[in-house]
Amino acid sequence: HAWRVQAAQASGGTSSAPIRDHVLALLRAHQPSGSVMDFGAGTGDLVGQLLREGRHARVAAVDLVPRPGWLPAHVRWWQ
């Protein structure tokens, strides 16, 4: 578990843009509805994009790093 925390901190809580963009393309193509959870949410970049698109009733996130301060209160975050 400690090595995962170190890796998350070393990455700054970010994934590559191609990974994020691929996930967004899949979501747009398949149009899922309801709730969505981002595992490994990091800085919340994907969560923010999901909120802006407004297609999901609820958006939640999980990560080893602390919750980003800009995240709206209605987004559940588990650390």
Side-chain angles (χ1 to χ4, degrees), residues 5-77:
V5 172
Q6 288 175 337
Q9 290 170 339
S11 74
T14 59
S15 292
S16 68
I19 293 172
R20 182 202 59 235
D21 294 344
H22 183 69
V23 169
L24 288 169
L26 288 171
L27 291 171
R28 289 174 186 138
H30 296 284
Q31 298 288 315
S33 60
S35 300
V36 64
M37 181 173 282
D38 180 5
F39 288 92
T43 60
D45 188 39
L46 177 60
V47 171
Q49 185 63 40
L50 294 170
L51 292 171
R52 283 188 290 282
E53 292 187 6
R55 279 186 248 178
H56 303 283
R58 288 188 295 168
V59 177
V62 176
D63 205 294
L64 296 171
V65 299
R67 176 190 183 96
W70 64 267
L71 210 60
H74 70 276
V75 174
R76 296 284 313 263
W77 183 278

